[in-house]
Amino acid sequence: GLLLIVADADGENPRVIAQSSEPLMSPAWSPDGQSLAYVSFENKNAAVFVQALRSGERKRVSARSGINGAPAWSPDGRRLALTLSRKDGNLDIYVLKLDDQTLIRITDDNAIDTEPVWSADGKSLYFTSDRSGNEQIYRVAASAGERPQRITFEGGYNARPRLSPDGKQLAVLT
């Protein structure tokens, strides 16, 4: 089977967090370092789990029809940004409030919108989209109703945005 392991930064003290005969993907640390969100394909369907490291308590937080992927924690640890395909099969960005399971659709476009990451203040999301004809980075408010703004324009491929801790720099794969 496949294992999700947490170890010290030097590789010592490995601990198995999850194991499955199906793929485990996209582990993401909570801001306080106490939990991991990850994607598991148990029962052949993608689902997002949050697991507390100390207690081992594990919650399935998103098992909607279609793709449930790319979990990213908000800076306050209360929300996850997710890529979901829902009923129409189209990939869009959603925000899930963990305390009450409220799901907010952030993007609504025929393009593939994926790989969300949060701004340092938790007010914006950066994501990859091919809505311009090729993969570029966009920014949008982390609440419903704002039209995303394109951020990258150099070259024909910019993907997987990562913000610096101070929020002043953006790293992308090109």
Side-chain angles (χ1 to χ4, degrees):
L2 295 163
L3 303 175
L4 177 59
I5 293 175
V6 170
D8 296 344
D10 61 6
E12 294 296 313
N13 302 315
R15 306 187 309 283
V16 174
I17 301 304
Q19 65 185 99
S20 174
S21 58
E22 302 299 328
L24 296 164
M25 298 170 52
S26 306
W29 288 97
S30 62
D32 65 6
Q34 300 299 306
S35 299
L36 276 172
Y38 58 90
V39 178
S40 174
F41 285 81
E42 297 162 35
N43 308 317
K44 308 292 188 205
N45 295 316
V48 176
F49 289 85
V50 169
Q51 187 157 341
L53 299 185
R54 202 166 272 144
S55 69
E57 181 191 8
R58 183 174 182 255
K59 291 180 185 167
R60 190 175 69 174
V61 297
S62 182
R64 290 152 178 93
S65 62
I67 290 170
N68 295 262
W73 292 88
S74 62
D76 64 7
R78 294 178 170 174
R79 296 170 291 168
L80 286 177
L82 301 170
T83 300
L84 303 177
S85 62
R86 304 303 300 265
K87 296 181 181 74
D88 60 7
N90 183 59
L91 292 173
D92 279 300
I93 307 298
Y94 291 76
V95 169
L96 176 68
K97 287 177 62 184
L98 291 170
D99 61 354
D100 64 5
Q101 286 281 302
T102 300
L103 188 67
I104 302 163
R105 187 172 189 160
I106 304 299
T107 66
D108 188 356
D109 192 278
N110 291 331
I112 295 171
D113 296 338
T114 187
E115 299 169 344
V117 294
W118 293 83
S119 61
D121 64 7
K123 293 180 179 175
S124 300
L125 291 165
Y126 292 78
F127 64 95
T128 304
S129 177
D130 65 356
R131 61 183 63 204
S132 67
N134 53 32
E135 283 79 10
Q136 297 294 337
I137 307 302
Y138 291 77
R139 182 182 63 220
V140 68
S143 54
E146 184 179 279
R147 184 183 170 92
Q149 291 181 292
R150 185 171 167 180
I151 300 298
T152 56
F153 292 89
E154 293 292 317
Y157 177 87
N158 292 283
R160 297 207 179 142
R162 296 294 182 266
L163 282 163
S164 61
D166 64 6
K168 293 180 180 175
Q169 297 181 83
L170 182 69
V172 300
L173 294 180
T174 63

